[in-house]
Structure formats: C-alpha cells, structure tokens
Amino acid sequence: VGDKVMVLARSGLWQEVVNVPASQTFPMPEGMSFEEAAALLVNYITAYMILFDFGNLRPNQSVLIHMAAGGVGTAAIQLCKTVENVTIFGTASASKHDSLKESGVAHPIDYRTMDYAEEVRKISPKGVDIVLDPLGGSDTSKAFNLLKPMGKLITYGVANLLTGQKKNLMAMAKTWWNQFSINALQLLHHNKAVCGYHLGYMDEEVELVGGVVAKLVNLYSQGKIKPKIDSVWPFDQVADAMRQMQEKKNIGKVILVPEAPKEESKKEEN
C-alpha cells in the first residue's frame, strides 16, 4: 500500500482507477517520474526481448529499426547503445532525422521518399543482422531479404493496416494479401530466422517478464536508458493526443494523464 508502481495490462488503462493482479505491477526505481514509468514497460520490454532474447544482439552487428522515432523505436535505439559498436539504421520522416542522429542512429532513412532497402544496401551491401518489423505486409518480405546469413527478422506488429483515422478495408486487404509467408523447408537454405513477438500474450510468463523488468530497472538506474516523452495530454484532450500520433508528429511516447495541466491547479490555489 502506498508504493509507486508501474503497471502492465493489455487494455483498460485510460481511466483514473485500475485494478490489476499484483504480479503485473513493478516498483518504480528511485528518481523516476510517473510519466517515465508509463512510457517504460511496454516499449522497453518489447525492444529488449526482440533485440536480446530473439535477436541475440552482439557487438559489431547491424540493426534496422522501423518507426525509429516511436516508442519501441526509441527504446530499441537506447538498448542498442548498451552494446559495443552496433550500427543502427532507422526509418522515419525527414523532420525526425536530426533527433535520431543525436540519439545514436548512424543512418536515418526517409521511408517516404526513398526505398529503405536500397539505402541500406548502399551502405551495407550484405544487409543487416537484425530487422525489427512492426509493419507487416510486403515490408516483412523486404526485411527477410535484407538479412545477412544468420540474420534474424522479428515481426511484432502490422502498422501497415492503419492508414489514417478510419479503417481502410482496401489497405487491410492489400496488407493481408502481401503478408510474408515461408515454410520450414524453405528456411533451411536461407540460413535466416523469422520470429514473432506479442507482449500481450505473455500474461502467464510472470518470471520471464519480471526478469526483463529487473534488467531494465537496473539499466535505468545506471542512466543507460531513459524513456523519451514526446508530449503529455490530459484525458479531455485524448483526441488531440491521438492526432499527434496519426499525423506522425511524435518523437517518443505520447502520454495521457487524468488531470488537467498544472497551470490550472495553480490558478485554483491563487
């Protein structure tokens, strides 16, 4: 009672009071803000398990991170920087490239104006060791083809299904039709790995997830990782918060808080 905790839950967190099993709560480390705590778990657990548990990231390797300025992207960049001499390729719109370079992306690529596969090959003709794929559809095929021998593709989302504010059935059908498919026999002569990851289905894996959180808290306490907050919005501005993401303006996490901004509470005090 009274502990400050971070919470993992599949849904239902956009409200003032939530009820979750104690096993899905984790004590906040010293000095961490509530906003950082809200931004830590989902993104950093995902990025950590993809890069280290599936990807087996090691020194001198190369990684392609799609949506590099988003929540998982910024977490993955920071985690890559904890390993010696990792070369990071990151796709994002051009306006975010300076920020990405500052955070450690050696080669930002504007996916809107360039073919990112071609750009990667110009710099690294053999491709990369690990691709983080949150896109799905034909991009998963491109990712597989970009892998070096013994490379690993980890798919963890289908962002290509989402094209705007409304469901686009044509886009969904196209993404589904173009979805990458390969069988075990075909994998044999490629010397590559394909992995799928979804944190939402780890509910029962208390020890596994808890072990990852302990490592992340340790990295935070050492100053090696720090959640990047793009903006903070009160509940009554949730539509504006969503628009910030839909229009791809955010660099880092968009956070919702129940209360109005602090300026209003100051007025009340006066």
Side-chain angles (χ1 to χ4, degrees), residues 23-204:
S23 60
Q24 288 173 224
T25 64
F26 305 91
M28 284 167 56
E30 200 68 38
M32 177 180 273
S33 70
F34 283 116
E35 287 79 10
E36 285 181 331
L40 184 88
L41 289 183
V42 171
N43 299 288
Y44 283 81
I45 293 171
T46 298
Y48 188 97
M49 295 185 87
I50 286 174
L51 285 170
F52 297 114
D53 295 327
F54 271 148
N56 192 24
L57 178 63
R58 298 194 300 281
N60 306 313
Q61 289 191 324
S62 53
V63 181
L64 171 59
I65 302 172
H66 285 297
M67 298 165 66
V72 175
T74 52
I77 292 164
Q78 290 179 14
L79 289 167
C80 282
K81 299 300 287 179
T82 67
V83 179
E84 195 181 347
N85 197 32
V86 171
T87 303
I88 306 171
F89 296 84
T91 65
S93 49
S95 62
K96 301 177 182 179
H97 286 194
D98 287 344
S99 173
L100 289 180
K101 281 181 180 172
E102 283 171 28
S103 65
V105 176
H107 307 290
I109 301 167
D110 184 358
Y111 64 95
R112 295 179 180 183
T113 59
M114 297 170 171
D115 181 324
Y116 62 82
E118 280 179 24
E119 295 302 310
V120 169
R121 293 253 184 233
K122 282 178 192 172
I123 297 153
S124 178
K126 281 192 168 181
V128 295
D129 296 290
I130 301 170
V131 179
L132 280 64
D133 170 36
L135 304 174
S138 57
D139 285 292
T140 309
S141 303
K142 286 174 81 168
F144 186 78
N145 292 329
L146 267 177
L147 291 178
K148 292 179 179 178
M150 300 303 292
K152 298 166 190 74
L153 158 65
I154 302 97
T155 185
Y156 67 99
V158 235
N160 283 334
L161 289 177
L162 304 171
T163 56
Q165 293 185 12
K166 295 180 181 176
K167 281 185 181 175
N168 183 331
L169 294 177
M170 283 299 290
M172 292 174 80
K174 187 180 174 188
T175 302
W176 183 261
W177 178 257
N178 289 326
Q179 190 58 42
F180 176 72
S181 179
I182 193 165
N183 65 41
L185 281 176
Q186 289 171 314
L187 273 176
L188 272 177
H189 64 271
H190 282 291
N191 291 307
K192 298 176 181 181
V194 180
C195 311
Y197 180 85
H198 194 309
L199 178 58
Y201 293 94
M202 293 270 192
D203 291 354
E204 307 300 314

